[in-house]
Amino acid sequence: QVQLVESGGGLVQPGGSLRLSCKASGFKVDYYSIGWFRQVPGKEREAVSCINKSYGDTRYADSVKGRFTISRDIAKNMVYLQMNNLRPEDAAVYYCAADPLLYELCTPLPDPGPKYWGQGTQVAVFS
């Protein structure tokens, strides 16, 4: 029923930009808090950016502040992550995730985490 599908990953040079998209189905993106998370093999999952349900308050990891922007298009039922000035340490598999009840998905990290997850899209930053 609830589906999240990420797209937009790819290979970029340091300093380049990518725009990730998360297509939601089975729910409205303004009714759920939604976050972008990333994971590298051997490392724990990291919250990158979140947008809260209803009014759309945004949250960012310190490492991406000023470089990444999360947004949503309610009409298209999409959430985006604009990533600028990419660094090698940004390379990871990026996932979007959503939860119908929790407001904050990034700070603090809830336990348990978001209920629904996408399949991920890979971002590589060639150094």
Side-chain angles (χ1 to χ4, degrees):
Q1 181 177 281
V2 170
Q3 297 285 328
L4 298 165
V5 180
E6 304 96 331
S7 61
L11 173 64
V12 297
Q13 297 275 7
S17 297
L18 285 173
R19 185 199 194 201
L20 305 184
S21 299
C22 178
K23 175 67 176 178
S25 59
F27 71 99
K28 299 299 183 183
V29 295
D30 55 330
Y31 280 26
Y32 285 33
S33 289
I34 300 174
W36 287 97
F37 300 79
R38 65 189 182 190
Q39 190 162 26
V40 177
K43 297 182 64 177
E44 294 186 355
R45 182 184 299 128
E46 176 188 14
V48 177
S49 183
C50 296
I51 185 164
N52 291 351
K53 64 192 298 183
S54 298
Y55 292 108
D57 305 304
T58 57
R59 309 284 185 254
Y60 297 94
D62 288 342
S63 61
V64 308
K65 286 180 180 176
R67 301 188 297 120
F68 291 10
T69 303
I70 190 170
S71 62
R72 69 188 181 194
D73 186 327
I74 295 173
K76 294 182 178 180
N77 217 36
M78 300 277 287
V79 175
Y80 306 98
L81 185 68
Q82 178 67 46
M83 306 187 295
N84 297 328
N85 194 23
L86 283 160
R87 303 167 178 170
E89 53 264 41
D90 294 319
V93 176
Y94 283 71
Y95 301 88
C96 65
D99 194 278
L101 300 177
L102 298 171
Y103 284 92
E104 299 286 354
L105 302 185
C106 281
T107 55
L109 289 172
D111 185 16
K115 184 175 179 67
Y116 301 105
W117 292 82
Q119 82 292 340
T121 186
Q122 187 172 15
V123 172
V125 184
F126 184 80
S127 179

